């Protein structure tokens, strides 16, 4: 790859990242600026509560705690016991803050769905089948990720081989 092409590719990646970041910031600003009816927000929150089987808040806080511990232990391995205690205390501080995150999730749903649609969604997740789906979603998502990973690995090998064959047909060898 030539220097110009490498720079162009690098520039394209930076531009793509900037576009995604700008889109996320614009959506974030829109989410907080837009008014949502209280009953619509309440239905959206009920949906979030009905489907929070993965305990996303707790999992995130514990993951951040583990990451912090690993980072700090590499700097000073002798403080493991004290660090464990302090991280446990900090995790406890976050216990009462789950609602803040779930309210933000609910707001996203409230902006995307009408009150009637949210009522239908809540009715479904209140049903036996909806509860079964909510309970199974975490495991199903892991299975789907594994399938996608295998597919992507196979696609990567096949795609690369086809590109090389196409280049060989054009008299280019790598």
């Amino acid at each position: 790859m030539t220097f110009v092409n490498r720079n162009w590719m690098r520039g394209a990646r930076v531009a793509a990242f900037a576009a995604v970041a700008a889109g996320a910031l614009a959506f974030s600003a829109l989410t907080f600026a837009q008014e949502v009816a209280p009953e619509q927000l309440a239905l959206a929150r009920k949906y979030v509560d009905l489907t929070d089987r993965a305990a996303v808040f707790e999992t995130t806080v514990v993951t951040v705690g583990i990451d912090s511990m690993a980072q700090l232990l590499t700097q000073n391995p002798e403080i493991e016991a004290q660090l464990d205690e302090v991280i446990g205390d900090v995790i406890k501080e976050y216990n009462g803050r789950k609602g803040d995150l779930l309210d933000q999730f609910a707001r996203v749903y409230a902006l995307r769905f009408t009150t009637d649609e949210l009522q239908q969604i809540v009715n479904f997740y209140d049903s036996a089948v909806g509860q079964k789906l909510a309970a199974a979603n975490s495991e199903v998502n892991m299975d789907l990720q594994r399938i996608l990973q295998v597919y992507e690995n196979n696609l990567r090998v096949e795609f690369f081989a086809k590109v090389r064959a196409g280049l060989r047909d054009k008299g280019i060898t790598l």
Side-chain angles (χ1 to χ4, degrees), residues 2-174:
T2 67
F3 178 74
V4 172
N5 285 342
R6 272 188 238 128
N7 280 340
W8 183 87
M9 291 295 288
R10 186 178 308 124
R13 285 192 302 267
V14 168
F17 176 77
V20 169
L25 288 174
F27 177 75
S28 179
L30 171 70
T31 359
F32 291 107
Q34 214 170 346
E35 287 296 319
V36 177
E39 62 275 0
Q40 191 171 354
L41 198 53
L43 282 168
R45 177 56 194 265
K46 185 169 184 182
Y47 163 70
V48 169
D49 290 339
L50 284 167
T51 57
D52 183 31
R53 300 300 177 132
V56 68
F57 178 81
E58 293 84 355
T59 302
T60 302
V61 172
V62 169
T63 299
V64 169
I66 291 168
D67 292 347
S68 296
M69 185 164 197
Q71 183 179 359
L72 292 168
L73 278 178
T74 60
Q75 296 171 12
N76 190 349
E78 296 84 36
I79 63 167
E80 184 173 0
Q82 299 92 329
L83 186 57
D84 188 47
E85 181 182 341
V86 170
I87 285 177
D89 291 343
V90 173
I91 287 173
K92 286 177 191 171
E93 284 180 38
Y94 281 92
N95 281 345
R97 297 171 67 184
K98 178 179 183 175
D100 297 340
L101 179 64
L102 297 186
D103 285 346
Q104 291 177 42
F105 287 177
R107 187 162 182 70
V108 170
Y109 285 106
L111 289 170
R112 297 272 192 248
F113 297 96
T114 66
T115 302
D116 184 51
E117 291 167 334
L118 286 166
Q119 186 62 63
Q120 291 176 48
I121 292 168
V122 165
N123 290 345
F124 171 73
Y125 279 98
D126 263 339
S127 73
V129 173
Q131 287 294 299
K132 182 177 180 179
L133 176 62
N137 267 342
S138 182
E139 289 176 9
V140 167
N141 285 336
M142 287 189 310
D143 291 344
L144 294 174
Q145 286 176 344
R146 282 191 288 270
I147 290 168
L148 182 59
Q149 184 66 48
V150 168
Y151 178 82
E152 184 179 335
N153 290 341
N154 291 336
L155 175 65
R156 191 175 310 279
V157 170
E158 183 180 314
F159 193 94
F160 190 78
K162 287 183 180 208
V163 169
R164 287 186 65 157
L167 288 172
R168 264 194 311 273
D169 291 346
K170 294 185 180 297
I172 300 170
T173 56
L174 300 176

